[in-house]
């Protein structure tokens, strides 16, 4: 899915002062107001492109380390964009399978050709797809933080693995680094960090668990996985961070204003500041955790 401030990609509760900087922003409100960052909005494609630039190198490094290769059966959960699916398809080749699922597959429909199968699927409420003997790999990036029933989703992904299969989960933990501008040295940075707090508030109000990333290693061990390891990555400044912030704020501006978290004038000023290219913008750490099903 990928939505987060650093926020890769339609996939979801706790501290209202934490956010998913990798933000996928898919938390859904109790009022049924829908997901905060919809795949069908104009800015979604820009956000997924930024996510790919920021986080694909880390994701691909882990997938390589897990040994993904010809003939593997892979489930990409909450796929959002196409970059990871395309990488997996190239690695597994014509003898493998990549099942790509999301609640909204509009941005990945073009990748639906062998070995890729694209399916509309909600990992938090539906039974997992079945490749027969089970998947060799299940991967989700910036997804579970936005899923209301995270425990069920995790059980579903583990259930779908074959014995010896690998699970790789990647989610943000904004409490470890909650600022958009860690170097808050002037009014532009102060405004940026205030709007980031507003974004986190919107996510938390929709049920997103914004301190989920740090718990991944423990949750994998408690679920019975073996050889559990984890690491974290976040950029300190990057043109992709700038592109991500611009697209995210444009996508949520009406909700920020409606919630009284910012004015249109403040948002316009922030977008001007971001476009100047003079600010060091970052994201929350993306924590990657992986393990093997016995």
């Amino acid at each position: 899915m990928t939505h987060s401030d650093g926020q890769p990609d339609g996939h979801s509760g706790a501290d209202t002062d934490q956010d998913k900087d990798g933000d996928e922003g898919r938390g859904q409100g109790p009022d049924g107001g829908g997901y905060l960052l919809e795949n069908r909005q104009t800015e979604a494609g820009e956000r997924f492109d930024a996510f790919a630039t920021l986080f694909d190198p880390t994701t691909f490094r882990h997938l390589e380390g897990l040994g993904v290769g010809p003939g593997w059966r892979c489930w990409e959960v909450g796929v959002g964009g196409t970059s990871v699916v395309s990488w997996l398809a190239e690695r597994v080749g014509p003898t493998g399978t990549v099942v790509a699922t999301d609640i909204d597959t509009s941005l990945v429909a073009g990748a639906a050709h062998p070995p890729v199968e694209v399916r509309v699927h909600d990992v938090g409420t539906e039974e997992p797809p079945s490749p027969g003997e089970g998947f060799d790999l299940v991967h989700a990036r910036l997804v579970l933080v936005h899923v209301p029933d995270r425990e069920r989703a995790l059980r579903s992904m583990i259930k779908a693995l074959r014995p010896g299969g690998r699970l790789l989960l990647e989610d943000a933990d904004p409490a470890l680094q909650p600022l958009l501008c860690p170097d808050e040295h002037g009014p532009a940075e102060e405004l940026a960090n205030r709007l980031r707090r507003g974004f986190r508030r919107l996510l938390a109000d929709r049920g997103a668990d914004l301190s989920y990333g740090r718990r991944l290693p423990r949750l994998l061990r408690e679920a019975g996985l073996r050889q559990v390891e984890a690491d974290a990555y976040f950029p300190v400044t990057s043109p992709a961070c700038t592109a991500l912030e611009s697209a995210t704020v444009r996508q949520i501006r009406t909700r920020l204003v409606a919630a009284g978290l910012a004015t249109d004038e403040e948002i316009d000023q922030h977008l001007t500041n971001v476009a100047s290219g003079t600010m060091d913008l970052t994201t929350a750490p993306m924590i990657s955790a992986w393990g093997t099903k016995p």
Side-chain angles (χ1 to χ4, degrees):
M1 314 184 159
T2 310
H3 309 313
S4 294
D5 321 13
Q7 289 61 359
D9 313 22
H11 325 320
S12 298
D15 192 336
T16 57
D17 193 35
Q18 299 170 351
D19 88 313
K20 175 181 180 173
D21 259 32
D23 291 42
E24 277 178 24
R26 299 199 178 182
Q28 191 168 27
D31 59 358
Y35 289 98
L36 184 60
L37 296 168
E38 296 283 359
N39 285 4
R40 294 181 183 274
Q41 290 178 278
T42 303
E43 297 83 3
E46 298 176 45
R47 298 183 74 253
F48 287 130
D49 288 345
F51 289 145
T53 299
L54 291 169
F55 297 114
D56 277 1
T58 296
T59 295
F60 296 163
R61 173 170 59 85
H62 289 311
L63 292 173
E64 287 179 344
L66 293 176
V68 178
W72 274 45
R73 300 179 298 273
C74 304
W75 178 17
E76 180 67 16
V77 183
V79 57
T82 61
S83 62
V84 176
V85 166
S86 297
W87 188 95
L88 288 172
E90 182 177 349
R91 285 304 179 103
V92 306
T95 61
T97 301
V98 179
V99 178
T101 66
D102 205 328
I103 57 173
D104 180 352
T105 59
S106 56
L107 293 179
V108 75
H113 49 79
V116 177
E117 303 173 17
V118 175
R119 304 183 190 179
V120 175
H121 178 267
D122 187 338
V123 68
T125 62
E126 300 179 51
E127 285 296 304
S130 174
E133 298 178 359
F135 289 103
D136 300 292
L137 170 76
V138 176
H139 173 241
R141 184 171 75 183
L142 301 173
V143 173
L144 289 183
V145 70
H146 301 287
V147 175
D149 194 344
R150 284 172 282 275
E151 292 184 3
R152 174 173 176 169
L154 179 57
R155 290 195 303 268
S156 177
M157 288 188 281
I158 294 174
K159 176 182 178 181
L161 287 168
R162 66 166 177 81
R166 311 294 184 85
L167 177 65
L168 171 61
L169 298 181
E170 300 180 299
D171 255 309
D173 194 319
L176 294 178
Q177 196 301 98
L179 302 176
L180 178 62
C181 297
D183 181 19
E184 189 180 274
H185 65 87
E189 289 75 19
E190 292 172 3
L191 175 60
N193 287 336
R194 181 157 60 82
L195 293 183
R196 177 52 56 89
R197 288 193 292 272
F199 181 28
R200 295 200 306 269
R201 175 64 179 271
L202 292 177
L203 288 171
D205 286 349
R206 283 164 173 75
D209 183 348
L210 303 175
S211 59
Y212 189 68
R214 73 189 69 182
R215 296 198 285 274
L216 289 175
R218 173 174 57 84
L219 293 174
L220 296 192
R221 287 195 302 272
E222 290 177 350
L225 297 191
R226 308 285 178 81
Q227 300 173 309
V228 173
E229 298 182 55
D231 64 15
Y233 165 79
F234 75 99
V236 175
T237 188
S238 163
C241 290
T242 300
L244 178 62
E245 176 64 9
S246 176
T248 299
V249 170
R250 284 184 280 116
Q251 195 165 359
I252 65 171
R253 72 175 295 158
T254 58
R255 294 184 186 268
L256 286 170
V257 173
L261 297 169
T263 65
D264 277 314
E265 292 75 18
E266 288 171 330
I267 293 172
D268 286 340
Q269 182 60 61
H270 176 58
L271 290 173
T272 298
N273 294 341
V274 169
S276 73
T278 60
M279 303 173 69
D280 293 322
L281 308 179
T282 187
T283 73
M286 182 179 75
I287 296 177
S288 302
W290 58 96
T292 302
K293 183 176 180 178

